[in-house]
Amino acid sequence: MCGIVGYVGPQMGSKALGVVLEGLARLEYRGYDSAGVALVTADGLQTEKRAGKLENLRSALDSHPMEESRTGIGHTRWATHGGPTDGNAHPHRGGEGDRLALIHNGIIENFHSLKKALLAEGVEFVSETDTEVAAKLVGREYDKLGDLTAAMLAVVNQLQGAFTLLAVHADSPGVVVGARRNSPLVVGLGDGENFLGSDVAAFIGHTRHALELGQDQIVTITPDSYSVIGFDGAPAQGKAYEVTWDASAAEKGGYSTFMEKEIDEQPHAVGDTLLGRTKDDGELVLDELRISEDQLRNVDRITFVACGTAAYSALVAKYAIEHWTRIPVEVSLAHEFRYCDPIVDERTLVVSVSQSGETMDTLMAVKHAKELGALTLSICNTHGSTIPRESDAVLYTHAGPEVAVASTKAFLAQITAAYLLGLYLAQLRGETFGGDPKELMTELREMPEKVQEVLDRMDRVVEMANFMADTRSVLFLGRHVGFPIALEGALKLKEIAYIHAEGFAAGELKHGPIALIEPGQPVFIIVPAPESPHDLHKKVVSNIQEIRARGARTLVIAHDGDEDVVPFANEVIRVPHCSPMLAPLLTVVPLQVFALHLALAKGLDPDQPRNLAKSVTVE
Ligand code: M6R
């Protein structure tokens, strides 16, 4: 995915470059392979672009300053078509005299055939990107029509795939035009100035008034107006809303990395996600779901679709929701869902989980579920993003903006929202097999404090991470709700510390993975609460003994007061006691802190790990 910014300011203004660079800095988490800007100046169109992080573009601009301007667009890229080079960086240019500049997020799937036709007409290309095809097409239409909105409209219906496009033209100062299909674009409404962005972070330093665009819409902004039309040319409306957080929430606020800040914000992420969702007597109220109680009572199967960390939160949800509601729950990786002929009908609730709300694999799974007649519910952290809009209902998590590529606070908020959903369904159906929903809610409300307690105890984990900077491989074991946490612990370590790591269900150990254990092999073990049903605790303690006997270095995450693990642990990391089902909110925290500090000890940037982007808007 890429980050996109557009700006138009007052006639006498000249701050376009500053606004665009500030927006790109806030969006750099979306992609950081290359960055570029285009300004409409008194001398015509000027562009500058560079491979690498935004600072490379800033250095280039310091050496070759651009003219003053009130109209600009900017882009930060996560490469899909064509490597991360200066030439492939956006903006791309088109039209007579290359007087149009265009930036793009997404993939134009039919770009080969469009490019072939343009090449046959003698059009020359200077990059390997799909984007340049759109630049050439919109540029050519502008030359015919003399109007940027009309030129965009003439092109969008020729394009297949997912895209957000922004364009400016040398002959249209004070105008930026954007178009979106299956890819995000929001409008920021200022006073005598207007903005476009992939998300509100692009302009949050200037305005909190935002406008959500619908699917297949084109927006034209000038300093004091905006207009929206559909891809059919008919006038359309955006949906206005106020952003509830401010610029400081999207800044590091004294932390050296966003990931550290976001880990520390987790008590709030859990607490805010619970806020306003219960009556005084503890009864859950989720009116916002927009699915009738009858429809929910009728649900006989739940399928979660999600990717990466979000999918691990769904795995936690499976254990909790099945236990509390007795409804069968399955979890499908969103990119596999469509290809396994899913068994889904109008009594199936398909729950998507996504921090960004724009992961393409998840979006496509939701669309497929709808085609099959399922009820679709989105658990999402990003207001106005595509997945909640495409779903029948949404349960927003309130983790605030998550900037670091590695998901942390959104994960805790997703688990919290899934618990809410499970308890709400149990309440609605009068199901008490897994305990009284009201009592469970009372305990859930105590969790933010307990998450804070875990955070306050992390000194030893930081020391362990510093000491283990040369480690080449780490294994993670867990059972029941500890299993997804083992998977998440391994994912965190892979993605930000580049260490080979694997998570296993502890019971699976003797079916193969135990062969990996050799003297000194570090293994994290997530131990369930001692009172867990089915002797789970005892079984995991046995697993620790089995690997310890073979020389493993056992790093044990256990509840306060659990002394059974002590004889077999090289390290014991304690979490406050809580009931077995809620433990993931606590046990994952040391694993996040460990991965963060191991990455820092290796001199890596945990916020922007190599090859990754915050959300993956391509399939
Ligand atoms: O925005 P989403 O929650 O849909 O993103 C899903 C995954 O791409 C995401 O969780 C990814 O695995 C993170 N980098 C994990 O830290």
Side-chain angles (χ1 to χ4, degrees):
M1 85 176 178
C2 308
I4 277 187
V5 190
Y7 173 76
V8 272
Q11 187 76 40
M12 303 308 294
S14 60
K15 65 182 209 186
L17 184 59
V19 172
V20 167
L21 289 175
E22 181 191 326
L24 289 183
R26 290 223 171 87
L27 294 182
E28 208 186 3
Y29 71 88
R30 299 175 63 90
Y32 32 84
D33 288 338
S34 53
V37 290
L39 300 181
V40 179
T41 74
D43 287 343
L45 188 68
Q46 296 190 348
T47 55
E48 189 65 82
K49 49 190 195 172
R50 283 290 181 275
K53 293 193 177 183
L54 187 58
E55 60 203 50
N56 294 0
L57 175 67
R58 284 190 194 275
S59 311
L61 289 167
D62 288 344
S63 327
H64 307 100
M66 293 173 98
E67 301 288 319
E68 293 191 339
S69 169
R70 65 188 178 107
T71 312
I73 54 176
H75 188 263
T76 176
R77 178 170 188 243
W78 185 73
T80 54
H81 290 60
T85 60
D86 286 356
N88 287 332
H90 301 202
H92 291 281
R93 296 179 69 152
E96 185 70 45
D98 276 343
R99 293 168 70 73
L100 173 125
L102 180 141
I103 56 180
H104 165 219
N105 174 31
I107 289 184
I108 298 166
E109 284 171 357
N110 58 335
F111 91 99
H112 280 297
S113 56
L114 294 168
K115 187 167 180 176
K116 206 167 146 199
L118 287 166
L119 284 168
E121 288 172 29
V123 176
E124 287 178 12
F125 286 82
V126 293
S127 80
E128 303 150 293
T129 64
D130 48 346
T131 307
E132 196 180 2
V133 172
K136 299 296 183 212
L137 289 171
V138 180
R140 188 173 66 176
E141 291 302 324
Y142 186 96
D143 294 339
K144 282 191 235 160
L145 303 167
D147 178 84
L148 204 47
T149 310
M152 187 68 90
L153 180 61
V155 171
V156 283
N157 289 307
Q158 300 173 43
L159 308 179
Q160 289 163 10
F163 51 85
T164 300
L165 304 173
L166 292 198
V168 290
H169 195 281
D171 299 339
S172 292
V175 180
V176 180
V177 173
R180 73 167 290 258
R181 166 175 284 170
N182 285 332
S183 182
L185 180 63
V186 276
V187 187
L189 303 173
D191 187 8
E193 55 185 359
N194 285 315
F195 309 80
L196 295 172
S198 303
D199 65 51
V200 294
F203 49 75
I204 193 66
H206 302 271
T207 181
R208 286 161 74 170
H209 307 307
L211 189 82
E212 184 182 315
L213 293 175
Q215 192 62 275
D216 288 1
Q217 289 188 341
I218 295 175
V219 62
T220 304
I221 57 167
T222 68
D224 35 38
S225 73
Y226 70 87
S227 57
V228 183
I229 57 171
F231 281 11
D232 57 1
Q237 298 282 326
K239 194 168 138 211
Y241 67 101
E242 289 295 302
V243 183
T244 51
W245 46 275
D246 60 16
S248 63
E251 284 162 7
K252 286 187 193 157
Y255 286 88
S256 56
T257 64
F258 278 110
M259 186 173 173
E260 197 179 356
K261 176 181 177 242
E262 289 161 6
I263 288 174
D264 272 5
E265 286 171 343
Q266 297 189 110
H268 290 288
V270 175
D272 292 353
T273 300
L274 293 173
L275 266 186
R277 283 167 166 162
T278 35
K279 289 189 189 160
D280 290 347
D281 66 353
E283 187 187 331
L284 267 154
V285 256
L286 296 184
D287 309 341
E288 66 206 87
L289 280 188
R290 301 190 314 245
I291 301 183
S292 76
E293 295 190 353
D294 280 348
Q295 275 175 303
L296 287 174
R297 275 195 204 97
N298 199 31
V299 164
D300 67 357
R301 174 202 291 260
I302 299 176
T303 300
F304 276 83
V305 289
C307 302
T309 290
Y312 299 150
S313 79
L315 266 181
V316 173
K318 172 183 165 66
Y319 289 95
I321 298 180
E322 282 189 340
H323 184 62
W324 291 334
T325 66
R326 311 309 295 145
I327 304 171
V329 179
E330 80 182 287
V331 178
S332 190
L333 290 170
H335 37 86
E336 291 295 317
F337 178 75
R338 273 195 294 168
Y339 309 110
C340 63
D341 298 325
I343 301 168
V344 159
D345 61 25
E346 65 286 352
R347 293 189 67 186
T348 312
L349 179 65
V350 171
V351 184
S352 59
V353 187
S354 175
Q355 187 288 128
S356 60
E358 53 177 277
T359 299
M360 186 56 73
D361 291 320
T362 309
L363 174 63
M364 290 304 162
V366 171
K367 288 189 169 184
H368 189 54
K370 278 179 89 172
E371 280 159 18
L372 296 173
L375 272 175
T376 53
L377 166 69
S378 152
I379 292 179
C380 184
N381 196 43
T382 309
H383 187 106
S385 54
T386 311
I387 294 172
R389 247 202 332 260
E390 291 290 321
S391 305
D392 297 312
V394 56
L395 187 56
Y396 279 112
T397 50
H398 296 299
E402 191 179 67
V403 177
V405 163
S407 189
T408 53
K409 63 176 181 173
F411 180 62
L412 263 69
Q414 286 159 354
I415 294 174
T416 306
Y419 288 154
L420 285 174
L421 175 65
L423 292 174
Y424 182 66
L425 290 173
Q427 175 186 288
L428 211 60
R429 300 158 78 100
E431 182 60 71
T432 53
F433 174 86
D436 174 14
K438 274 191 194 170
E439 280 170 24
L440 288 158
M441 265 315 293
T442 307
E443 199 189 343
L444 189 51
R445 275 198 299 263
E446 289 162 8
M447 294 310 281
E449 227 170 278
K450 293 188 178 183
V451 177
Q452 185 59 55
E453 259 185 76
V454 181
L455 288 168
D456 294 341
R457 299 176 182 186
M458 287 296 96
D459 290 355
R460 180 61 191 148
V461 174
V462 174
E463 275 172 21
M464 282 164 54
N466 288 331
F467 167 76
M468 288 171 68
D470 294 332
T471 302
R472 305 276 303 270
S473 148
V474 182
L475 304 180
F476 296 76
L477 302 180
R479 283 184 106 122
H480 190 248
V481 285
F483 168 43
I485 299 308
L487 297 174
E488 173 62 3
L491 177 60
K492 287 283 94 72
L493 208 53
K494 282 184 261 206
E495 69 179 332
I496 61 167
Y498 315 153
I499 288 180
H500 176 253
E502 277 197 69
F504 300 104
E508 194 63 12
L509 205 63
K510 46 191 171 300
H511 300 283
I514 200 164
L516 290 170
I517 305 292
E518 54 188 16
Q521 169 68 51
V523 185
F524 276 95
I525 308 101
I526 298 117
V527 182
E531 76 276 19
S532 299
H534 316 302
D535 279 341
L536 260 185
H537 175 264
K538 228 188 252 164
K539 287 176 185 161
V540 173
V541 175
S542 300
N543 294 143
I544 305 175
Q545 292 179 56
E546 285 156 14
I547 54 170
R548 174 74 178 241
R550 288 160 177 83
R553 201 165 155 257
T554 52
L555 315 171
V556 173
I557 301 180
H559 289 236
D560 282 343
D562 179 356
E563 294 307 316
D564 296 350
V565 297
V566 176
F568 316 109
N570 289 91
E571 299 278 351
V572 185
I573 302 155
R574 296 284 181 190
V575 298
H577 188 264
C578 69
S579 61
M581 208 58 91
L582 304 187
L585 292 174
L586 307 181
T587 51
V588 74
V589 175
L591 303 181
Q592 299 167 335
V593 172
F594 178 75
L596 167 71
H597 286 276
L598 198 50
L600 293 173
K602 290 179 74 174
L604 301 170
D605 175 359
D607 288 344
Q608 297 185 338
R610 68 184 176 204
N611 304 337
L612 291 171
K614 180 66 185 158
S615 97
V616 184
T617 54
V618 293
E619 278 186 270

